[in-house]
């Protein structure tokens, strides 16, 4: 709709409401909402018609179905016991399993690793917020080095850097992220109860281990090598696992799985986040932020770092800050590993510290944890990473 027509209608609304003796404040607020209404409607329409929306929602639904199948069949608890027998420590399991599942490029991974963290920590004296932070942090340590993360693929293509060189340039940040997470989140856990009783039947434990890990491995293959989207891959694997459990005499009720995975509150949270991101897009807020920084006298690396961090906070996903910031990197210094690295590191930091990150919302919801208490140790880990990364980049530029 033409902007001048919108303004005219808005002013007429103000006049009519004032004539009805409505206070000026509510009149102006109503007219302001009317001016924004076309953008809100457009963003809602685009959110509800984008394939990505339904891919995310269905992938999350099937992951929850998968978790119910594994939990009710006993395979999940058996897998954790088997892993703790292998690692001889629940603390190692707490760090390794979310990290391993983080290799799967799907939103649902955070929801799948959450019950594993819950099971592995059931004998440990830690709060729900601590468990949530562990699940969320270690799930994302491969954002810097995995060649199958969508944001990494987009970054290399847009910035004009090779996959191998860019991954080698940032791989040490994955090691640093694991170390920071261990120092902040795992090390303080009292180890007195970190061991759990081993199961007597080794073959049973091996079967549980493979039953729990094979869905992740198979989904990884279907998504990466077979080109299926996340929802199709997870749906196929979930259906196959249901049949395998029946074949191995671990019957799970179909009704319990289908209905139990319908977490309406979580789905609405995810949908609202996607809607918020689309509002930012259609109102050109993100582009205006970028333009404001581009016109500033700050050094180029500082501009890229600030813009990447802010866009990461606003979008909460690697594809978001990469799609907006990496074209600027390419325009300024095509093929620059240093500048692209700055954009990636600070963009990831932004997406790790925002309520628009769906993995964080899902994790906090699962553990029924306080949002800010969960985010506090994550913030400390990010401060460690950004401080060391900034110092290293400054002295090696």
């Amino acid at each position: 709709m033409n902007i001048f027509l919108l303004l005219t209608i808005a002013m007429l609304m103000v006049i009519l409401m004032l004539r009805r003796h409505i206070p000026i404040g509510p009149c102006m607020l109503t007219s302001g909402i009317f001016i924004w209404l076309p953008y809100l409607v457009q963003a809602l329409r685009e959110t509800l018609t984008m394939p990505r929306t339904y891919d995310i929602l269905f992938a999350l639904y099937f992951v929850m179905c998968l978790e119910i199948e594994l939990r009710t069949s006993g395979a999940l608890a058996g897998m954790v016991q088997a892993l703790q027998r292998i690692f001889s420590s629940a603390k190692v399991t707490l760090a390794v399993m979310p990290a391993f599942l983080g290799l799967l490029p799907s939103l649902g991974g955070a929801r799948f690793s959450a019950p594993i963290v819950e099971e592995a920590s059931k004998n440990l004296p830690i709060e729900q917020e601590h468990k949530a932070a562990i699940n969320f942090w270690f799930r994302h340590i491969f954002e810097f080095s995995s060649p199958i993360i969508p944001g990494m693929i987009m970054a290399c293509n847009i910035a004009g850097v090779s996959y191998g060189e860019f991954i080698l340039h940032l791989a040490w940040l994955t090691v640093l992220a694991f170390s920071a997470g261990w120092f902040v989140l795992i090390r303080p856990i009292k180890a007195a109860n970190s061991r759990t009783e081993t199961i007597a039947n080794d073959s049973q434990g091996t079967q549980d281990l493979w039953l729990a890990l094979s869905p992740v491995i198979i989904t990884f293959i279907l998504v990466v090598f077979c080109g299926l989207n996340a929802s199709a891959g997870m749906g196929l694997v979930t259906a196959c696992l249901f049949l395998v459990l029946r074949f191995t005499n671990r019957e799970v009720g179909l009704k319990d799985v289908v209905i139990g995975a319908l977490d309406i509150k979580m789905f609405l949270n995810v949908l609202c986040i996607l809607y918020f991101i689309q509002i930012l897009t259609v109102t050109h807020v993100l582009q205006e932020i970028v333009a404001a920084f581009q016109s500033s006298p700050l050094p180029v690396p500082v501009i890229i770092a600030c813009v990447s961090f802010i866009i990461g906070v606003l979008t909460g996903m690697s594809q978001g800050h990469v799609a907006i910031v990496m074209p600027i990197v390419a325009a300024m210094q095509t093929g620059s590993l240093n500048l692209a690295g700055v954009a990636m590191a600070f963009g990831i930091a932004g997406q790790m510290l925002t309520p628009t990150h769906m993995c964080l919302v899902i994790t906090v919801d699962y553990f029924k944890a306080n949002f800010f208490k969960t985010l506090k140790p994550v913030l400390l880990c990010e401060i460690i990473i950004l401080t060391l990364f900034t110092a290293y980049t400054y002295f090696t530029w």
Side-chain angles (χ1 to χ4, degrees), residues 124-151:
L124 299 175
I126 57 177
E127 297 179 346
Q128 293 300 100
E129 288 78 12
H130 198 155
K131 299 175 187 178
I134 289 172
N135 184 64
F136 178 63
W137 179 259
F138 285 99
R139 153 114 180 113
H140 294 91
I141 65 172
F142 286 107
E143 291 276 342
F144 305 101
S145 58
S146 174
I148 62 169
I149 297 294

Side-chain angles (χ1 to χ4, degrees), residues 147-195:
I148 62 169
I149 297 294
M152 178 65 73
I153 296 172
M154 290 176 60
C156 293
N157 285 322
I158 297 173
V161 296
S162 72
Y163 288 99
E165 290 181 349
F166 196 47
I167 288 173
L168 287 175
H169 183 70
L170 294 178
W172 69 278
L173 289 180
T174 290
V175 179
L176 179 59
F178 184 88
S179 302
W182 187 274
F183 178 77
V184 174
L185 293 165
I186 304 297
R187 185 187 59 85
I189 298 175
K190 295 180 180 180
N193 296 321
S194 64
R195 288 176 177 268

